[in-house]
Amino acid sequence: MLADNLNILCTWLGLSCGFIERLLETSPGISGTDPCRCLSTDACWPSSTAFATLESKLSTPLVTPLPPATPCYSSLESEDCGAVQRLWLDGWWRANSSGATQHPNFAEFATPEGDTEVCYVNTTLGYPCGRGSIPAVGVDARSVEDIQLAINFAAARNLRVVVKNTGHDYLGRSTARGAFLIWTHHLTNLTYHDTFKPAGAPEGEVYHDVMTLGAGVQWQDAYDAAFARGRNIVGGISYGGSVGAAGGWVQGGGHSIIAPLYGLGVDNVVEMSIVISTGKHLVVNAHQHSDLFWALRGGGGGTWGVVVSVTYRTHPAPPINAAFFLTSINASTPDALTTPSPTLHKLFAELVRLTPALADAGWAGYADILASADTGHPALRVAYIAPADAPAAVPLMERFYAYARELAESSTLAQGKLRVATAVVSPLANFGAWETMIFRGKDGQGQVGLNVELGSRLLPRELIKRNHTKVADAVLGLELPFIGFYTVTGGVVSKVDPDATGIHPAWRKALVHLVFGSSWPEAASSDVVNEIREKNKKGEAVFREMTPDGGAYFNEASLYQVDPKSDFFGSHYQKLRAIKKKYDPTGLFVVHGGVGSEDWDADLHCRVSPHRTSRTRSDGL
């Protein structure tokens, strides 16, 4: 609004107006005294002329993000609508859309009147297609200069800013109603360095076999580049491959099935480049801007600026053993469809008991409790890997398999009849062969395209070792359709100095990342959604009490953390907050649960002060 008024005055006086834009672009935060960010529904929103001026300087036109189901509200028979319906669960398709979130519930908006503004793929539900919480306009950044122009434009006009990489975000941080979007999805440069010297490093400090990944690179592409050179790289994994390699995944910590072998994502970063709120492009590492480098490695995505690229170590790719275990449960009691059977309790409790020993033997991976495909009853599915040269790994896993087979033979329908469908250990050439076999050639597989909310907690090794029965009982008492018991820490992760990076120190004592949640259909009643949320909150409370010094993974967590500062960052919070004030003094970058978010209301729209009360979030959450 300031820019528009000054330009009108300038034109009326018959003066050249170009200096106004230059002044604003070089003076970010000129409107920073306003307690509320400017949204597209406000009078302060930039004029079409201002946006046209910005667009003329960018390398590609501005984007107007739209709900991905929009084409179906024009014609159900159109080719575009057919693509929407065919690809709704495809993570890559969603990542390629500036207006799509991987989980549609984060695009909903609750109006002040209590109505829901949303654009459902099921057009027969009778709802009009609304924009919901999707940003109004954005910059499709293809270069550092594009990002700088976007940040300076937003800072000068006090706009609400969101940064979106691939949109894979369980806390809805990559979208906001009425916001200005900075979309980094097309920064896909990928460079493999045989040798690499960090900026500012002394002579002789050289890394070998590292990769620099642009902000838009997705992990399947990064894996392909590493595997082609016979190397491993610590990264995220998902069906559909939509996790970004240089965005929120690493800034939140970055767990991986190979983290116990090589460390978390943050432990493998050599250097990062970022554009901060002043518009400056910084290359940060252990030698320059080391405080920001520390914060970026675990201090949370969307908080510090717009990350342009990340340079990672890679590692040798030796042979591995892969363990696959799949069960089903049948039971005679009706409530067993939602309540784990006594047989499943025994089986899972044995897995929990063995987890410290399995981890010490080299195993890491994912254990899920999901509904059996054939019976619908909760059952156990396991996918683990271990180095092929770990001598104790296979005998210990076979011991667990033998226990499961004996339990299957003795179980009854009344207790929950167990069937062990798969229990094998297979030698594979390397981690790349495992990742390709499990995750390639698939779309979202239920991981995207659905309404989802999660809860999580880091479970310390000592807790599991000391009282595995209590842990197993609490996990199976969650009464949620999805539970993940992930051994993605321990090993090398536990050997890193807890203060070496900004990530919560609880990661260094944890052995398991527990994650749980549920989904619901489009247009589900508020009673259904609230019931799911209450179960998530109940689970959060149970595990917070069990782990008073624990924490939660910022990228896979609850929207209802009682104490986000403690849960996400622990004893590092005050240091992170000081770094935040140094590099983003006006608070241009703020996300739910992130560093500095306590200064803002529930919508992250207005600063909270003694004279201003916070509001309830209105994005369907």
Side-chain angles (χ1 to χ4, degrees), residues 121-468:
V121 68
N122 184 355
T123 59
T124 66
L125 292 171
Y127 287 78
C129 180
R131 174 173 291 277
S133 290
I134 293 172
V137 67
V139 170
D140 179 4
R142 308 293 178 107
S143 66
V144 169
E145 291 74 21
D146 283 346
I147 296 173
Q148 290 175 314
L149 286 165
I151 288 176
N152 289 341
F153 182 86
R157 293 160 178 81
N158 198 34
L159 305 185
R160 169 80 163 93
V161 173
V162 293
V163 183
K164 179 181 176 183
N165 181 304
T166 69
H168 189 108
D169 194 326
Y170 290 108
L171 291 175
R173 297 166 298 187
S174 59
T175 191
R177 183 177 177 86
F180 180 70
L181 172 69
I182 302 177
W183 192 33
T184 63
H185 180 64
H186 290 110
L187 293 172
T188 55
N189 55 298
L190 188 158
T191 306
Y192 193 96
H193 309 272
D194 294 319
T195 60
F196 180 83
K197 181 177 180 293
E203 289 300 323
E205 183 176 322
V206 176
Y207 291 84
H208 296 278
D209 297 297
V210 302
M211 289 174 60
T212 299
L213 307 177
V217 173
Q218 290 169 276
W219 272 118
Q220 283 193 357
D221 289 332
Y223 285 143
D224 286 343
F227 298 159
R229 290 181 175 258
R231 306 289 292 180
N232 282 340
I233 186 169
V234 177
I237 293 180
S238 69
Y239 294 111
S242 63
V243 179
W249 177 83
V250 66
Q251 292 173 65
H255 74 64
S256 168
I257 193 171
I258 58 175
L261 293 175
Y262 307 118
L264 296 165
V266 293
D267 302 327
N268 284 276
V269 177
V270 173
E271 186 170 273
M272 306 175 84
S273 71
I274 181 173
V275 181
I276 60 174
S277 63
T278 61
K280 291 182 179 178
H281 178 218
L282 305 179
V283 176
V284 304
N285 53 42
H287 306 286
Q288 51 187 41
H289 308 293
S290 59
D291 53 350
L292 182 57
F293 184 54
W294 181 87
L296 281 167
R297 292 175 295 152
T303 299
W304 311 96
V306 180
V307 170
V308 179
S309 67
V310 179
T311 300
Y312 290 97
R313 296 179 180 89
T314 68
H315 304 273
I320 65 168
N321 283 313
F324 301 101
F325 181 75
L326 180 64
T327 67
S328 66
I329 297 278
N330 202 358
S332 59
T333 53
D335 65 346
L337 285 171
T338 55
T339 304
S341 68
T343 304
L344 181 58
H345 266 84
K346 291 180 181 178
L347 180 64
F348 183 65
E350 178 65 5
L351 178 65
V352 176
R353 186 184 74 81
L354 285 175
T355 293
L358 288 167
D360 291 345
W363 290 109
Y366 310 113
D368 295 310
I369 297 170
L370 302 165
S372 302
D374 51 352
T375 69
H377 297 278
L380 180 64
R381 180 184 70 182
V382 173
Y384 281 11
I385 63 172
D389 61 358
V394 175
L396 190 59
M397 185 60 72
E398 290 291 359
R399 196 168 116 201
F400 173 67
Y401 287 173
Y403 176 87
R405 292 187 183 102
E406 291 173 6
L407 188 60
E409 291 177 5
S410 63
S411 62
T412 66
L413 199 62
Q415 298 170 326
K417 183 64 179 175
L418 172 67
R419 183 172 74 92
V420 178
T422 302
V424 298
V425 175
S426 299
L428 294 175
N430 48 44
F431 165 65
W434 181 87
E435 190 273 340
T436 300
M437 177 174 62
I438 301 297
F439 290 95
R440 299 304 176 102
K442 299 177 176 70
D443 59 18
Q445 294 285 310
Q447 236 179 326
V448 301
L450 302 174
N451 302 310
V452 173
E453 286 185 13
L454 299 179
S456 71
R457 198 70 179 173
L458 296 171
L459 303 184
R461 176 190 177 93
E462 288 306 311
L463 170 66
I464 296 170
K465 192 173 180 178
R466 184 178 67 250
N467 201 335
H468 74 277

